[in-house]
Amino acid sequence: MGSWHSDRGDVKGLAADFVVSFGERKTVKSTPQTRYSLIAKLRDSQDAAAWSEFAGIYQPLIFRMVTARGLQHADAIDVTQEVLTRVAAAVAQFDPAHESVTFRGWLYRITRNLTVDFLRRRSRDRMRTGE
């Protein structure tokens, strides 16, 4: 697995640098327990250790959710990268005190929405090219 070091110094750079190195297939046997102390650390976009730990836990889960929707490996890596980038950009707005929203549910919605967006774009592109 890669690490959350980025020469670009920004959150998107961190997400991109990490996921680009995600080439290995990894199976997740169980769903990780959400640690809100880790989620709180993610608000600091420069906390490389927190982002590395987060990616190590959630990247395989996100990848599994994306591939369950039928995406091929390379496409799933791209969508996983986009999910991590969106999480990085929006994690400061996530409020664990809000009773009706769990982190896992929030992450699932982001993953589902970006996967559906990808599938729609792919479908439109195929219709345009006649595939």
Side-chain angles (χ1 to χ4, degrees), residues 1 18-27 59-60 62-82 115 118-119 122 126:
M1 282 256 156
F18 191 87
V19 178
V20 166
S21 67
F22 179 69
E24 63 197 55
R25 294 178 189 226
K26 188 174 186 178
T27 59
Q59 186 178 33
I62 295 165
F63 185 81
R64 186 176 66 201
M65 286 191 285
V66 171
T67 56
R69 295 244 179 198
L71 272 68
Q72 294 182 8
H73 187 78
D75 294 333
I77 290 172
D78 290 344
V79 173
T80 300
Q81 177 177 343
E82 192 172 346
T115 302
F118 175 85
L119 292 169
R122 185 173 71 181
R126 285 182 176 170

Side-chain angles (χ1 to χ4, degrees), residues 29-130:
K29 303 228 187 282
S30 64
T31 307
Q33 176 121 12
T34 301
R35 289 189 6 247
Y36 288 100
S37 60
L38 175 60
I39 305 307
K41 289 179 183 179
L42 299 179
R43 293 173 191 251
D44 176 3
S45 63
Q46 300 305 309
D47 190 339
W51 280 104
S52 181
E53 183 179 355
F54 175 81
I57 294 168
Y58 288 99
Q59 186 178 33
L61 178 66
I62 295 165
F63 185 81
R64 186 176 66 201
M65 286 191 285
V66 171
T67 56
R69 295 244 179 198
L71 272 68
Q72 294 182 8
H73 187 78
D75 294 333
I77 290 172
D78 290 344
V79 173
T80 300
Q81 177 177 343
E82 192 172 346
V83 169
L84 290 172
T85 300
R86 291 282 176 93
V87 168
V91 72
Q93 286 81 40
F94 175 75
D95 182 7
H98 196 278
E99 293 179 12
S100 66
V101 179
T102 64
F103 178 77
R104 183 86 33 107
W106 183 74
L107 180 63
Y108 174 79
R109 275 194 309 281
I110 292 171
T111 304
R112 184 199 61 206
N113 290 345
L114 291 175
T115 302
V116 168
D117 289 349
F118 175 85
L119 292 169
R120 283 184 187 141
R121 276 192 314 272
R122 185 173 71 181
S123 178
R124 277 195 307 260
D125 291 347
R126 285 182 176 170
M127 287 175 54
R128 265 185 273 183
T129 61

